């Protein structure tokens, strides 16, 4: 009985072992199929992202070229305005002195208008006052353009901004008198 029981158990063990191996092979096949499907999805996502990245790069390059062209046009226009307003290469100190002198002269002319006697004298004094206001406004414009030049010519944006603001603030009070009434 012992021999026949051992002989009868062997095929059942082999059948069970074969069934377990078959189930493992089926499970591995299903796992491999789902893994391949996931890998295909991941590769498709990567390909889409690469296409989007390439399109984004092309858009960025096109925009960069437009901005560079815009910048060149603006720099040329700025240079034309600067040449028109500042015929000679005046420094900030020279412009500041010119503004202070023009503001002092304007103040004197305002006093002259107030003290003028007679219609003709008053009209002449007002004419001189308006001419002085125009010269002061011109000097203030030249100083503003020079401040912008300092901003654009600076090695850093922050440094250029500091220089420009400092120059504009140093002439602000005098330049405001050019826009004030008599």
């Amino acid at each position: 009985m012992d021999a026949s029981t051992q002989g009868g158990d062997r095929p059942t063990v082999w059948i069970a072992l074969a069934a377990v191996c078959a189930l493992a092979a089926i499970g591995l096949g299903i796992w491999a199929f789902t893994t391949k499907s996931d890998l295909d999805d991941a590769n498709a996502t990567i390909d889409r992202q690469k296409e989007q990245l390439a399109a984004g790069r092309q858009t960025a390059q096109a925009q960069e070229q437009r901005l560079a062209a815009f910048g060149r046009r603006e720099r040329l226009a700025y240079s034309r305005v600067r040449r028109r307003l500042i015929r000679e290469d005046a420094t900030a100190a020279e412009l500041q002195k010119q503004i202070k002198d023009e503001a002092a002269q304007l103040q004197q002319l305002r006093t002259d208008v107030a003290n003028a006697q007679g219609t003709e004298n008053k009209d002449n004094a007002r004419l001189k006052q308006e001419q002085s206001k125009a010269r002061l406004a011109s000097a203030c414009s030249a100083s503003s353009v020079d401040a912008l030049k300092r901003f654009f010519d600076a090695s850093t944006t922050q440094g250029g901004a500091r220089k420009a603001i400092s120059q504009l603030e140093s002439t602000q009070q005098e330049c405001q008198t050019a826009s004030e009434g008599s």
Side-chain angles (χ1 to χ4, degrees):
M1 205 166 137
D2 231 277
S4 70
T5 343
Q6 273 189 349
D9 283 340
R10 283 195 184 181
T12 307
V13 171
W14 284 111
I15 291 173
L17 189 59
V20 167
C21 287
L23 288 175
I26 291 171
L28 284 174
I30 292 171
W31 174 78
F33 180 73
T34 57
T35 302
K36 183 183 180 325
S37 176
D38 291 346
L39 181 61
D40 289 343
D41 290 344
N43 284 337
T45 301
I46 289 171
D47 289 342
R48 277 194 312 275
Q49 288 175 346
K50 283 181 181 177
E51 288 171 4
Q52 289 172 350
L53 180 63
R57 282 184 181 154
Q58 286 176 341
T59 303
Q61 286 173 345
Q63 189 170 6
E64 193 174 285
Q65 289 171 351
R66 280 193 305 273
L67 289 174
F70 176 77
R72 282 191 297 272
R73 285 193 310 264
E74 296 308 307
R75 281 191 293 276
L76 289 173
Y78 167 75
S79 294
R80 283 192 306 273
V81 169
R82 184 175 186 286
R83 280 193 304 273
R84 206 174 314 139
L85 289 174
I86 304 174
R87 295 290 179 203
E88 70 280 348
D89 193 19
T91 64
E94 291 169 338
L95 289 169
Q96 209 168 18
K97 182 184 180 318
Q98 181 183 0
I99 289 169
K100 289 193 185 303
D101 292 346
E102 292 293 341
Q105 185 178 8
L106 178 60
Q107 189 59 39
Q108 178 59 45
L109 289 169
R110 284 184 176 156
T111 304
D112 291 349
V113 168
N115 295 335
Q117 299 293 322
T119 307
E120 188 176 337
N121 288 340
K122 210 166 207 41
D123 288 343
N124 284 336
R126 282 188 185 128
L127 176 62
K128 288 180 182 178
Q129 177 186 346
E130 293 304 316
Q131 289 171 338
S132 179
K133 280 174 71 173
R135 286 191 303 270
L136 178 57
S138 176
C140 289
S141 295
S143 180
S144 296
V145 170
D146 187 61
L148 287 173
K149 179 187 181 303
R150 292 179 186 283
F151 175 76
F152 289 126
D153 290 347
S155 59
T156 66
T157 305
Q158 189 174 14
R162 271 194 233 119
K163 288 178 184 177
I165 289 170
S166 172
Q167 182 172 342
L168 292 171
E169 285 176 342
S170 70
T171 58
Q172 178 182 5
Q173 188 174 10
E174 289 85 3
C175 290
Q176 281 179 336
T177 61
S179 64
E180 292 173 355
S182 299

